[in-house]
Amino acid sequence: MRPFYRDKDNFNLLPSRSDKRDHSLKKATQLLALLLLALIVVSCTSRKRRDEQGLIAKAWHNMNAHFNGYFNANEILEESFLTLEEQHVDNYNRRLALFPFMAVENPSVVNDELDRAIEKVAVVVNLHPYSNWTDDSYLLAGQAQFLKQDYETAEKTFRYLVNEFRPRPKRNRTNNSQAGQEEEGPRGPQGRQTAEQTRRERLRARRDAQKERDRINKQREKERREAAKERDRQRRQRIRDRRRGIRTPRVVQDTSLTQEPETTVPDPEEVINEGPVGMISIFNRTRDLGLDGSEQYGDNPEGYFLRHRPAYQEGRLWLAWTLIKRDKMDQAQLILEDMRNDRGTASDIRSQALAVQAFLYLESNNPTAAIPYLEEAAAQANTRQQRARYWYIVGQLHQELGEPAQAMAAFAEVIDAKPDYELELGAALNVAQNDYLSGSGDAESALRRLEQMRRQDKNQPYESQIYYAMASVSLRANDQAAGMDYLRKALGSNTAGPAQQQEAYRLLGDLNFEAADYLAAKLYYDSTLNVMGRTDDRYPQIEQRRDRLTDIAATLQDIQLKDSLLTLSELSPEERTALAEDILQAQRQARINRTETATDEPGFVAPVSGSSFWAYDSRAVRRGERDFSRVWGDRPLTDNWRRSQSAAFSPDGRDDDVEIHSDGPAIVTEDEVANIFSEVPTTDNERNTMRLQLTEAYFNLGRLYRDRLDDNAKSVEIMEGLNQRYPGSNFEAESWYYLYLGHTDLGNVSRANQYRDNLVEKYPGTNFARAISDPNFVSDANNEELARNQAYDRAYALFEQDQYQQAYDLARGQQAALIGQHPLRAKYALLMAMSTGKIQGREAYVNALRQVVAQYTDTPEQARAREILRILGETGARLPGGQEGSIGGDFKESAEELHYIVLVFQTRDVDLNEVKIAVSEYNQTYHRQDRLRITNVYLGQDNSTPVLVMRRFQNGGKAMEYLRGTELNADEWVNADILGFETFAVSQSNYREILRARSIAGYPAFFDENYR
């Protein structure tokens, strides 16, 4: 109980003397707290210079910078790394990505989070510029930009980091009281120089560099004077020798040592701006000494146990990484060599630099040089998974170099590292293959080993991958049939993922292409492109090969169809009915089989345990589907299909068109037979027409084999089969010409001469016979075409010289001399129309332009004529589909200009505000830092074409990156199919041309040609 005493004067209860002492102590504590608070406030004022910050202010800034902004931004960055790594799926049949987070197809999925991280560290830099976490904030911002694949901006960020936050070297104090002791001079946070120190250091460095330059220049000037004196002395000596009759050979001067740049020591300011060259290397030629003879900075890389480590070294590493992605290999190589040779580089940074060095060689397509760095990086890796990944890539590189023994040893290292099972299984499969390839085993033993692995329960989820490995062994053993069978099994396995599918489809396509089965190859290439991402480096090559096979595959299918139809046309009615019954029975059985195997299909719902509802019983559902199919067949999904209003309803409750028995063949009606054989020719005239179409198809196929694939053997086979099956066809002369060329290229001289003689004898006046017999025919034809083009140029020049009548007459005469659909006919027609307008006026001009539009379809001249009609205000000047014609020729290649993105809508009935909101939300998610602005304009004479314009992008490449992002993130982009619009990237100058013409016409074709 607290003691109290009574005040005699006022009778109040007052504290005792001991409480008074406690009260005084409390007041003193409060005053001290207020004083400390005042010191903190004074210390934290923004007016103080960096070197005037007190310890409390530094601690306050460091704490807030770290735990308020940087910590949260770093968490976001780590989550983004994990998201990208999880999104990437390794394809163990191809070289693994050294860094999975860089190999994702769509990195924009984390753009929104990375933008948030950049905003947070930007706040840290602005509010706490002198904290220890400022350089870390710049490092994090550069890493976020790197993950966004904005390598140009990331390079600028990392360069600023390594230039502005370069650690100072240690200096020896010259103070008498502390002579001989090393101590760091006054610094800002994390060892950075204060502003005053930085200024003094740069002035001193500039003076030292200038002194060195002056010394070198004086030395060179002295050497030049001495060399000039020596040359003058030798000249006088030669003169004296000539007077005496002595020929003295001229002395050849060795200038290899004097031809140096004027200045060998660079300006430190220039070095800092050029890149991450350490300050030490500017002034010394030795790597172990600092400016004043002390040890180099960073000589104790592990000395940051209780101190904050600067981000300088890590920033240099990421700068080298970024330079590699920007194809600046030489600059990156200098940085990486400097970091590896510098004993002050931290151990973790050094091990990462080894991996980045290997990455540089892989990007430079130099796998041999990358292998030792990967092996060293694996030896220093921190985790088993990382070590195993490096060794796996080493094994794959040895496989590419044809070194199976070394590859097998590398994959054995992967297994010893005990990584995740998928990586371990991939290594085991490669060990089995390389054991055979190295000569220590045979193909049969390798296949038995792989088959044993496939049967193991733990490998059931990887059955497709094992089948692919077995296919590889069979193909290397030259057993193509077995290899293709294993590939089909890999595709048929329900464990085949997209990566496995694309490899199997691609390999089957290549095998069929090499076997000249072009139809199957084209179909396999189609399947490959459906599952392969566009970022795959093989995509363009496969797409090009697929496109070359497209016309060939279509022609082959057309030939097969027409041959089948002609064969069916020879059947009797009874044979057709029997065939129709077989077809319907096969279709019904296929439906039943699909129903019975429904549990293996994606989307099958397993029964819910504990429920008695019939729909949860999969067996009951399948039983009901089978019973329904047996009785009613494959019915379309229509409402009330059993009602009497149905066209196929009969009074007895069954369909009239077909009677289906559960245990017998289908009874087919005449209507169904007619429907099945609807395309079969029935008359002689129809059969003859189809035979003529077949001859053309066969000829086109033979021509495509030669022109598209350079396959002369197949071309000869098809052409000779055409002439044997359809002798005397309309394509006989041209087919003989192709046979002559094909046999000539194949070296069959006698067969080539035979077709040459047949062609000259039967078709002597044709161009094909002239091309064979007259060696000057091709050059004469080229000269004739050149003369036609020159005639057109003369006519157009007359038009430009205002000689409209002469231009019209010349164009009319030249057009009449052209045969067939020559390209110059449309050009002459447009030129005559323009001349008519100048001669006869507007009405004749409009009529002539309309004639060009009607006569020359799908030509540039038709599009230009329509555009001129639209400018003249004439109706009917629109292209089919509502698009307007194009004058053409006004757009220029300007990929380095500022670019816009334009959304051109097909109709005015669109809510532009709604579209703006959708585009803005997309930009907020994926392009928050780009500061894109959206406006709208209207094109067309009646403002009937709404256009959204998005400004602006630095160049055409940035604009196309935006468009590729909208394709990858189509679910979050505006739905073009519903709103009806097209999206283009357009340069600033071409956008002005569009506004001037008030039409987008002509630009889509220009865009496809120059951007797509």
Side-chain angles (χ1 to χ4, degrees), residues 589-599 601 621-627 629:
Q589 188 62 41
R591 289 194 300 269
I592 294 174
N593 294 338
R594 287 197 302 268
T595 304
E596 291 176 347
T597 58
T599 55
E601 296 178 359
V621 172
R622 294 200 303 275
R623 191 183 307 114
E625 290 176 348
R626 285 198 301 271
D627 294 341
S629 297

Side-chain angles (χ1 to χ4, degrees), residues 798-900:
L798 291 173
F799 177 83
E800 288 185 327
Q801 297 169 8
D802 299 337
Q803 301 179 24
Y804 305 118
Q805 189 63 49
Q806 293 88 331
Y808 180 87
D809 294 339
L810 179 58
R812 185 176 181 180
Q814 291 293 328
Q815 187 191 45
L818 296 175
I819 301 175
Q821 297 296 325
H822 197 281
L824 287 177
R825 292 184 66 86
K827 293 181 177 293
Y828 278 125
L830 181 60
L831 181 58
M832 286 189 293
M834 297 167 64
S835 301
T836 300
K838 294 294 184 179
I839 298 171
Q840 301 181 23
R842 186 179 189 277
E843 184 176 356
Y845 187 27
V846 170
N847 291 333
L849 288 171
R850 286 179 175 171
Q851 185 176 357
V852 173
V853 171
Q855 187 173 357
Y856 301 99
T857 58
D858 299 330
T859 61
E861 288 73 27
Q862 182 196 49
R864 185 168 184 178
R866 279 201 177 102
E867 179 65 14
I868 297 173
L869 287 171
R870 185 193 60 77
I871 294 174
L872 294 175
E874 293 297 322
T875 59
R878 291 181 177 274
L879 292 171
Q883 294 183 348
E884 296 177 342
S886 171
I887 295 177
D890 294 332
F891 302 115
K892 302 176 181 178
E893 293 187 28
S894 47
E896 299 304 322
E897 285 188 16
L898 293 176
H899 270 65
Y900 306 147

Side-chain angles (χ1 to χ4, degrees), residues 556-709:
L556 283 170
Q557 291 174 328
D558 185 47
I559 290 173
Q560 291 176 0
L561 175 62
K562 287 182 169 56
D563 278 336
S564 300
L565 293 176
L566 285 174
T567 302
L568 292 174
S569 67
E570 305 295 335
L571 296 178
S572 64
E574 293 79 10
E575 291 173 331
R576 292 190 186 183
T577 303
L579 181 60
E581 291 176 354
D582 293 340
I583 292 173
L584 289 178
Q585 186 68 21
Q587 291 175 352
R588 184 206 305 174
Q589 188 62 41
R591 289 194 300 269
I592 294 174
N593 294 338
R594 287 197 302 268
T595 304
E596 291 176 347
T597 58
T599 55
D600 296 331
E601 296 178 359
F604 172 73
V605 180
V608 179
S609 60
S611 175
S612 60
F613 184 56
W614 65 269
Y616 287 124
D617 188 351
S618 61
R619 293 185 180 88
V621 172
R622 294 200 303 275
R623 191 183 307 114
E625 290 176 348
R626 285 198 301 271
D627 294 341
F628 183 89
S629 297
R630 289 193 182 101
V631 177
W632 302 107
D634 189 10
R635 294 276 178 171
L637 295 176
T638 58
D639 294 334
N640 298 330
W641 58 271
R642 293 188 62 185
R643 292 183 57 180
S644 59
Q645 287 82 356
S646 174
F649 176 77
S650 61
D652 60 357
R654 300 195 324 190
D655 291 342
D656 289 335
D657 56 347
V658 60
E659 181 179 358
I660 303 178
H661 300 274
S662 60
D663 56 352
I667 299 178
V668 184
T669 64
E670 294 183 359
D671 291 339
E672 283 188 321
V673 174
N675 184 44
I676 292 175
F677 300 109
S678 60
E679 297 183 6
V680 177
T682 57
T683 65
D684 292 339
N685 189 26
E686 291 177 350
R687 294 188 187 95
N688 291 332
T689 301
M690 188 164 289
R691 290 190 183 97
L692 291 176
Q693 294 172 351
L694 265 177
T695 59
E696 183 177 3
Y698 273 114
F699 171 75
N700 289 332
L701 181 62
R703 179 174 53 83
L704 288 171
Y705 278 143
R706 176 179 171 82
D707 296 343
R708 295 286 179 86
L709 303 178

Side-chain angles (χ1 to χ4, degrees), residues 870 878 884 938-945 997-1000:
R870 185 193 60 77
R878 291 181 177 274
E884 296 177 342
Y938 289 88
L939 300 178
Q941 295 298 323
D942 52 354
N943 295 331
S944 59
T945 306
R998 298 190 63 81
S999 172
I1000 196 70

